[in-house]
């Protein structure tokens, strides 16, 4: 286990290094430049442009810019925001709690409803299974931004049960403001996890050891819990890694739709204004999170399902 973890950590570091190079270089292929945003359309003298380029090292060779930025990142310094004129780490520290709470609430909804619906569909069958299939099909066919619009229209505008936007102040108000965004963020993934759970449990129900347990008179609840659900957890865990990564990525759409002050909305605004340091920092954090989740799934999978050999790649 330790050797496998060490090898995977080395692979993670190498992959993250390659991703950092791609992230840093990709922004320079986009049209426009930060100096144009800073000038806000005003005419500028060559001296003013030179001063801006010197301040942000925009005219330095690409390799020099990348190595300087990488060295700063390794020391926890993501640079200074071009738009907000403040350190990027300060911006992230102020907005990250909102995003983390949103992802945690959405993940809770996905796990609870995804597992429950998947189990009901596989175990009950008949009309219950058909209802689950129809419901999950609708969920899978509803993008997050469409769910956000519908939820805002019904529960915020018509019924006035929840706020239509903003992050709120105080613990209770913050949670209340995040209920609709969390539902919009979780809807698609609830359908996905329910389908995966249902398929995995149906496959496990057809195994010979399940039939043998039933023939010995083992109660049905015990059969489902010990032999079916437990043998399905490996597949569900693998999908769980993908769920967490997808939640983080989709926060960009949901936070923008609900005007939440999280890193998803910050990424959207910073991309529009070519705020290089902010976009690079958030993109690198998302990539790092994706790889860390993938590593955790690889480490936990053999513990959940002993039939899986250590070192098998996950699908996350």
């Amino acid at each position: 286990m330790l050797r496998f973890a060490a090898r995977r950590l080395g692979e993670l570091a190498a992959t993250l290094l390659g991703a950092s190079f791609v992230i840093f270089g990709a922004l320079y292929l986009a049209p426009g430049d930060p100096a144009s945003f800073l000038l806000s359309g005003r005419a500028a003298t060559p001296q003013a442009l030179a001063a801006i380029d010197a301040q942000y090292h925009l005219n330095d060779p690409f390799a020099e810019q990348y190595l300087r930025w990488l060295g700063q990142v390794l020391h926890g310094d993501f640079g200074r925001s071009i738009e907000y004129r403040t350190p990027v780490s300060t911006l992230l520290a102020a907005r990250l709690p909102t995003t983390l709470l949103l992802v945690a609430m959405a993940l809770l909804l996905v796990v609870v409803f995804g597992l429950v619906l998947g189990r009901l569909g596989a175990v009950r069958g008949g009309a219950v299974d058909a209802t689950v299939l129809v419901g999950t099909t609708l969920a899978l066919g509803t993008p997050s931004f469409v769910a956000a619009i519908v939820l805002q229209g019904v529960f915020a505008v018509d019924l006035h049960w929840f706020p239509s936007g903003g992050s709120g102040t105080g613990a209770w108000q913050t949670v209340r403001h995040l209920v609709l965004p969390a539902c919009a963020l979780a809807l698609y993934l609830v359908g996905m996890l329910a389908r995966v759970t249902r398929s995995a449990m149906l496959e496990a129900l057809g195994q010979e050891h399940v039939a043998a347990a039933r023939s010995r008179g083992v109660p049905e609840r015990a059969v489902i819990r010990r032999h079916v659900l437990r043998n399905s957890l490996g597949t569900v865990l693998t999908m769980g890694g993908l769920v967490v990564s997808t939640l983080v990525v989709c926060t960009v759409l949901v936070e923008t739709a609900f005007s939440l002050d999280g890193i998803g909305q910050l990424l959207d605004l910073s991309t529009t204004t070519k705020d290089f340091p902010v976009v690079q920092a958030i993109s690198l954090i998302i990539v790092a999170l994706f790889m860390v989740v993938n590593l955790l799934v690889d480490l936990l999978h053999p513990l959940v399902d002993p039939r899986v050999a250590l070192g098998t790649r996950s699908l996350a």
Side-chain angles (χ1 to χ4, degrees), residues 270-294:
S270 300
T271 302
T272 303
T273 58
K274 298 274 293 187
D275 196 347
F276 284 4
V278 176
V279 176
Q280 290 165 345
I282 297 177
S283 300
L284 190 62
I285 289 174
I286 291 175
V287 172
L289 178 62
F290 181 88
M291 290 189 292
V292 169
V293 170
N294 194 25

Side-chain angles (χ1 to χ4, degrees), residues 180-194:
L180 292 184
C183 291
L185 189 59
L187 182 61
Y188 171 82
L189 292 171
V190 166
M192 180 186 296
L193 186 61

